[in-house]
């Protein structure tokens, strides 16, 4: 036996043998003549059947053996050799199975461009395409990996290393001329620490690993004004990059930038301002319509480079920024997502609580909006001067709760808080703007939304004309227009709601001549307004026989009635627009807390803030010129929202997503059962919260594209 050992095994009809110098070959031979003591071994390559060598062996006890020294040199091109051999004894020939003889080690060496050892270069070792190990060439620049299985071995250099050239890429010894690269990192944005922002982290030995997502994600508040003290604000993101560590940076060190946007269907259609890498262009390392690249260089030792991206104003648009010291751009990566920040001030009426609004904030999140409170709750406070006459700063803010009683249960006690067109400016100026300026939204939670005027300040009115009175007591039912209510005080100024009430007497012989062609005013004292339940106006005409102190003008209408004549009554009524669960105007949102539970409050809050964001995109027919500019951000059109509608029993632009096509086409949505209402939060009626999906996919297109600078 030799001083060398052999290990052998079989796999898939191939025998694998690790060689440490020689390989023992053997073959069972039966029936050979006893005088035969020699055997000839012919060794052939398995791939082309070419003869490798011929050996003379011996035959002992029916077994032929030989010892072979395969030509596998450390400096050679091959780590192993696959062969088979044929054994000839006398006239017999026997063929072996295939045999793969290999060295179970690979020596890996790294040298610099000066041919001197380059220490601590990291690599990954693959066998037959599968990564088996990782390692480093260590302080000597050379390391031997042992105990390897058979198969093709591949060495890949990892970390910040560039391969200048392979000096020996095959065989048992592998040697490469390398150049260590510097690494670059984001100075800003740097989500998790200065100089550490990016996708990968590197250890002292140069090995790199992927970080958690939080280390390579950044939100930019694109609707806020740019501020050097707050680089996370503004739609133009200014990135700062340096060699890491920065002290190793040298003038002229290169920085490669690659910026990639997702496919168009994942981005908003908003196109003003246009998304771009400022100064970027197609580069060999940044190809395709969605990619742009830049090549920059440090101007000074320990310096930094900067570049800018215009992110646009659309919420949840994202872009991936990759940087590197070479055109592979693998040192760091950031995924930047557009976000919009808006704050809201809470003003609460007495005895009104603010509920959990987690559902609403989640719906705003789908549009890339952070909806956060600003400061402490502000009390409702005193209302404006009732008769100020200034649009938006007049009328009543606290009214008797019984006005809104529907006759079910016990009548309410005390006052309720109302907000509407008539008094919104008072709250905006005295509670909101005076406190913190034009910042975000003012959310006023009252008991009822009730408008005494339209948005121009004109009082809502209703006319009563030529109602016949033939008795001293006259009750006039008031079939008020939808949502209009007569209270016993006019909401817009606090005065009596019946204005200009007059009577006109007969002109014919139905009454004595002295009572003909008479007319006059019906004073407030003769009138009672029924504000609860059925809307009625009751007029009591005094009987002159019972009230001798009446003036001639005051006594005349009673005398006409007593003489069998009839009066014609005309009146102008100041009414209020009611029936709203919420209302939004400019930066002000009013929510009626008495209109539903917490789940409905979340729907209502989202709906009204959605109106502040100019939702839902719905075109009048015929369209008016202002609508497209109001509802459609640049790049979008009404056709991008197939479910937007106007009117149909509701006020403003709304969304009928979730309704059947037949129901969508109805002239009015009044009277539909809950299961037939729209499911988008921008549907024009407060429905079952369990069916509400938040902003539907179409409303999201527009809420994402809305310029939130108006609501910052």
């Amino acid at each position: 036996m030799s001083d060398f050992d052999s290990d052998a095994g079989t796999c898939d009809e191939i025998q694998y043998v690790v060689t440490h110098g020689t390989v023992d070959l053997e073959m069972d031979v039966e029936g050979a003549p006893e005088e035969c003591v020699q055997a000839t071994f012919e060794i052939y390559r398995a791939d082309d059947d070419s003869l490798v060598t011929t050996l003379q062996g011996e035959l002992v006890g029916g077994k032929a053996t030989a010892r072979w020294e395969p030509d596998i040199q450390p400096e050679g091109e091959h780590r192993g050799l696959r062969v088979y051999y044929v054994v000839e004894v006398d006239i017999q020939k026997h063929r072996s199975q295939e045999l793969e003889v290999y060295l179970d080690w690979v020596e890996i060496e790294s040298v610099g461009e000066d041919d001197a050892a380059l220490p601590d270069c990291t690599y990954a070792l693959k066998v037959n395409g599968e990564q088996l190990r990782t390692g480093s060439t260590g302080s000597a620049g050379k390391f031997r990996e042992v105990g390897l299985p058979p198969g093709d071995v591949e060495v890949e250099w990892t970390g910040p290393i560039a391969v200048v050239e392979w000096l020996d890429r095959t065989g048992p010894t592998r040697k490469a001329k390398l150049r260590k690269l510097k690494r670059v990192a984001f100075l800003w944005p740097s989500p998790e620490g200065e100089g550490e922002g990016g996708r990968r982290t590197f250890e002292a030995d140069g090995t790199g690993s992927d970080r958690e997502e939080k280390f390579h994600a950044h939100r930019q508040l694109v609707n806020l004004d740019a501020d050097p003290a707050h680089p996370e604000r503004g739609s133009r993101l200014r990135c700062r990059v340096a060699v890491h560590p920065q002290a190793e940076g040298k003038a002229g060190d290169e920085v490669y930038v690659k910026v990639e946007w997702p496919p168009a269907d994942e981005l908003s259609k908003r196109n003003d301002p246009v998304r771009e890498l400022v100064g970027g262009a197609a580069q060999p390392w940044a190809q395709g319509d969605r990619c742009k690249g830049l090549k920059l260089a440090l101007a000074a030792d320990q310096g930094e480079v900067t570049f800018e991206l215009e992110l646009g104003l659309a919420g949840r648009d994202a872009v991936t920024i990759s940087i590197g010291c070479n055109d592979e751009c693998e040192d760091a990566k950031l995924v930047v997502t557009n976000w919009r920040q808006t704050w809201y001030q809470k003003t609460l009426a007495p005895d009104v609580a603010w509920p959990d609004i987690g559902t609403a904030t989640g719906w705003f999140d789908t549009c890339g909006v952070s909806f956060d409170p600003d400061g402490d709750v502000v009390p409702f406070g005193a209302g404006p001067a009732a008769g100020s006459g200034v649009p938006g700063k007049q009328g009543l803010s606290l009214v008797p709760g019984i006005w809104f009683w529907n006759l079910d249960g016990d009548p309410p006690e005390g006052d309720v808080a109302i907000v509407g067109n008539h008094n919104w400016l008072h709250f905006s100026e005295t509670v909101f703007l005076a406190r913190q300026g034009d910042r975000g939204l003012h959310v006023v939670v009252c008991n009822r939304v009730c408008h005494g005027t339209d948005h121009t300040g004109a009082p809502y009115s209703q006319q009563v004309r030529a109602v016949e009175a033939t008795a001293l007591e006259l009750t006039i039912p008031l079939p008020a227009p939808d949502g209009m209510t007569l209270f016993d005080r006019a909401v817009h100024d606090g005065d009596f709601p019946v204005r200009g009430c007059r009577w006109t007497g007969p002109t014919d012989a139905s009454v004595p001549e002295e009572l003909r062609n008479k007319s006059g005013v019906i004073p407030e004292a003769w009138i009672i307004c029924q504000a609860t339940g059925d809307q009625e106006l009751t007029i009591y005409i005094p009987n002159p026989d019972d009230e001798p102190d009446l003036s001639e003008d005051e006594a005349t209408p009673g005398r006409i009635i007593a003489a069998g004549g009839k009066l014609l009554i005309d009146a102008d009524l100041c009414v209020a627009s009611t029936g709203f669960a919420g209302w939004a105007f400019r930066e002000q949102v009013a929510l009626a807390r008495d209109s539903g539970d917490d789940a409905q409050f979340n729907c209502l809050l989202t709906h009204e803030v959605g109106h502040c964001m100019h939702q839902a995109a719905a075109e009048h027919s015929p369209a008016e010129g202002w609508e497209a500019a109001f509802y459609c951000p640049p790049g979008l059109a009404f056709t991008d929202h197939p479910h937007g509608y106007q009117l149909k029993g509701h006020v403003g632009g709304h969304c009928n997503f979730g309704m059947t096509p037949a129901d969508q086409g109805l002239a009015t949505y009044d009277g539909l059962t809950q299961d037939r209402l729209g499911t988008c939060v921008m549907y024009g009626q407060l429905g079952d919260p369990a069916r509400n999906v938040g902003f539907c996919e179409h409303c999201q297109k527009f809420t994402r594209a809305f310029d939130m600078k108006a609501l910052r």
Side-chain angles (χ1 to χ4, degrees):
M1 293 293 293
S2 163
D3 292 335
F4 301 95
D5 296 325
S6 297
D7 299 321
T10 59
C11 180
D12 295 332
E13 303 303 325
I14 299 174
Q15 183 180 11
Y16 295 96
V17 178
V18 176
T19 178
H20 298 286
T22 62
V23 176
D24 289 333
L25 307 179
E26 62 180 33
M27 178 73 70
D28 290 332
V29 179
E30 297 181 358
E34 292 184 2
E35 62 273 15
C36 290
V37 295
Q38 288 187 337
T40 302
F41 285 74
E42 293 178 341
I43 302 174
Y44 296 89
R45 295 180 62 96
D47 55 357
D48 60 5
D49 297 320
S50 60
L51 182 64
V52 175
T53 188
T54 300
L55 303 174
Q56 292 300 318
E58 60 182 13
L59 181 64
V60 177
K63 183 183 294 286
T65 60
R67 180 162 291 173
W68 173 42
E69 296 181 1
D71 187 18
I72 304 176
Q73 302 299 325
E75 65 277 5
E77 294 185 0
H78 301 288
R79 173 176 166 248
L81 184 63
R82 182 170 295 187
V83 299
Y84 64 90
Y85 52 92
V86 176
V87 178
E88 184 176 353
V89 176
D90 192 29
I91 61 174
Q92 296 184 43
K93 288 188 177 182
H94 301 272
R95 187 184 186 279
S96 72
Q97 67 183 112
E98 288 188 4
L99 180 74
E100 181 158 332
V101 180
Y102 69 97
L103 298 177
D104 68 345
W105 57 267
V106 168
E107 188 173 84
I108 304 168
E109 183 176 1
S110 55
V111 298
E113 293 179 276
D114 58 357
D115 292 323
L118 188 65
D120 301 319
C121 293
T122 58
Y123 57 81
L125 188 70
K126 295 182 178 180
V127 178
N128 294 327
E130 296 291 331
Q131 182 169 307
L132 185 66
R133 301 174 188 171
T134 59
S136 167
T137 57
S139 59
K142 183 186 294 187
F143 189 79
R144 176 175 288 197
E145 293 282 1
V146 299
L148 302 179
D152 295 329
V153 173
E154 183 181 1
V155 176
E156 291 184 354
W157 300 101
T158 60
I161 296 172
V163 178
V164 178
E165 64 174 316
W166 278 97
L167 302 176
D168 191 350
R169 196 168 190 171
T170 61
T173 57
R174 311 292 174 96
K175 184 177 182 180
K177 183 176 291 187
L178 308 174
R179 180 174 66 252
K180 283 195 173 182
L181 302 175
K182 295 177 180 178
R183 298 186 297 270
V184 295
F186 286 100
L187 298 179
W188 176 262
S190 180
E192 293 292 331
E194 287 299 315
E196 294 294 336
R199 178 173 63 93
R200 295 179 65 79
T201 180
F202 292 96
E203 307 301 333
D205 63 0
T207 57
S209 60
D210 282 350
R211 288 181 176 269
E212 300 174 26
E213 285 190 6
K214 66 178 182 177
F215 287 90
H216 56 96
H218 172 72
R219 285 184 176 183
Q220 186 74 5
L221 301 175
V222 296
N223 67 313
L224 301 185
D225 289 336
D227 183 348
H230 295 278
E232 75 281 2
R233 299 180 180 180
S235 67
R236 181 161 286 207
L237 175 66
R238 184 172 182 265
C239 297
R240 299 169 48 226
V241 176
V243 170
H244 179 67
Q246 195 166 358
E248 295 183 4
K250 300 295 183 183
D253 284 348
E254 294 176 339
V255 176
Y256 291 78
V257 179
K258 181 174 75 172
V259 170
E260 184 173 9
W261 286 272
D265 60 357
E266 297 180 23
L267 294 169
S268 170
K269 285 188 175 182
R270 185 185 177 100
N271 58 11
D272 180 23
V274 176
R275 294 175 288 266
E276 66 168 333
L277 170 62
V278 179
Q283 303 287 356
W285 64 90
Q287 294 289 315
D289 295 339
R290 298 184 286 112
C291 274
K292 292 293 182 286
L294 273 177
K295 182 179 179 182
L296 306 168
L298 299 187
D301 292 352
Q302 303 180 25
E304 64 181 63
V305 297
T306 62
F307 59 92
E308 293 186 345
L309 281 85
E310 176 55 62
L311 302 173
L313 296 174
R316 282 196 169 272
D317 276 1
V319 63
T320 300
I321 310 169
S322 302
I323 58 174
C325 55
N326 58 23
D327 60 11
E328 294 181 357
C329 296
E330 290 187 343
D331 287 0
K333 178 176 77 173
L334 281 176
V335 179
V336 178
T337 303
N338 290 8
W339 220 255
R340 284 87 58 81
Q341 175 69 61
T342 193
W343 293 273
Y344 63 92
Q345 176 192 305
K346 294 181 287 188
T347 295
L348 304 184
D351 301 322
V352 168
W354 181 265
D356 185 302
I357 62 167
T359 299
T361 55
W363 286 338
F364 291 128
D365 189 82
T366 65
C367 312
V369 173
S370 290
F371 188 67
D372 298 313
D374 191 17
D376 298 328
V377 173
V378 178
F380 195 76
S388 72
V390 179
K393 298 174 65 176
Q394 58 183 328
L396 304 178
S397 298
L398 294 173
V399 301
I402 198 170
W403 283 8
F404 297 94
W405 184 39
N406 63 4
L407 304 182
D408 291 334
D410 296 329
E413 298 180 0
D415 292 336
V416 295
I418 63 171
V419 174
N421 281 321
H422 63 283
N423 63 5
W424 77 271
L425 186 57
H426 162 78
F427 289 104
S428 181
E429 290 185 353
T430 62
V431 181
F432 180 51
L433 298 181
R435 176 175 177 266
Q436 57 198 34
D438 184 13
R439 172 166 158 146
L441 290 166
H442 185 203
V443 180
V444 183
V445 185
C446 53
N447 299 104
R448 299 279 180 166
V449 173
C450 178
H451 302 291
T453 68
D454 64 17
H455 69 278
T456 68
Y460 286 115
S461 63
Q462 183 181 355
Q463 294 180 333
V464 173
R465 292 292 182 264
V467 177
E468 294 183 356
T470 58
L472 295 177
E473 180 178 334
L474 172 65
T475 298
I476 305 174
L478 300 176
D482 240 2
M484 294 297 177
T485 304
L486 178 69
F487 296 127
D488 57 20
R489 290 287 165 190
V491 169
H492 77 283
D493 62 7
D495 291 339
F496 194 65
V498 182
R499 312 288 168 91
C501 189
R502 298 183 62 82
W503 61 268
T504 302
T507 60
D508 57 15
S510 62
V511 293
E513 185 174 354
E514 67 271 16
L515 296 177
R516 297 174 193 169
N517 299 309
K518 300 292 185 180
S519 63
V521 174
I522 297 178
E524 177 182 331
W526 298 4
I527 305 170
I528 294 178
C529 298
Q530 174 63 41
T532 301
D534 295 332
Q535 294 279 289
E536 295 177 346
L537 187 68
T538 303
I539 299 176
Y540 295 93
I541 299 172
N543 186 340
D545 295 337
D546 297 335
E547 300 185 36
D549 294 334
L550 293 175
S551 68
E552 182 65 24
D553 288 342
E554 292 173 333
T556 299
R559 290 174 180 159
I560 292 174
I561 296 295
K566 63 181 179 182
L567 305 176
L568 297 179
I569 307 297
D570 295 325
D572 293 322
L573 312 179
C574 292
V575 294
S577 179
T578 60
F580 298 94
W583 167 71
F585 187 64
R586 298 183 183 173
E587 81 288 343
Q588 191 121 320
V589 171
L591 305 176
R593 193 66 177 99
D594 293 353
S595 296
D597 58 19
D598 289 359
Q600 289 171 318
F601 185 91
N602 276 263
C603 296
L604 186 59
L605 173 63
T606 308
H607 180 97
E608 297 303 338
V609 174
H611 279 320
C612 291
M613 297 167 67
H614 298 184
Q615 301 307 307
E619 187 175 20
H620 273 114
S621 181
E624 299 176 18
W626 63 270
E627 288 179 339
F630 182 82
Y631 284 116
C632 296
L636 283 85
F638 286 115
T639 52
D640 291 311
H641 199 315
H643 294 283
Y645 71 92
Q646 294 271 10
L647 305 178
K648 294 183 179 287
H650 303 147
V651 180
H654 291 103
C655 172
N656 59 24
F657 178 85
M659 299 176 72
T660 66
D663 282 348
Q664 289 172 0
L666 294 173
T668 178
Y669 295 158
D670 288 342
L672 294 180
T673 56
Q674 285 286 330
D675 60 326
R676 296 172 64 187
L677 304 183
T679 57
C680 177
V681 76
M682 293 311 300
Y683 181 69
Q685 177 183 336
L686 188 61
D688 181 2
R691 299 182 69 244
N692 205 305
V693 299
F695 292 110
C696 73
E697 59 187 271
H698 306 289
C699 284
Q700 284 186 30
K701 298 175 188 176
F702 287 79
T703 51
R704 285 179 57 188
F706 175 65
D707 184 356
M708 291 287 293
K709 288 182 178 180
L711 302 179
R712 59 193 178 190

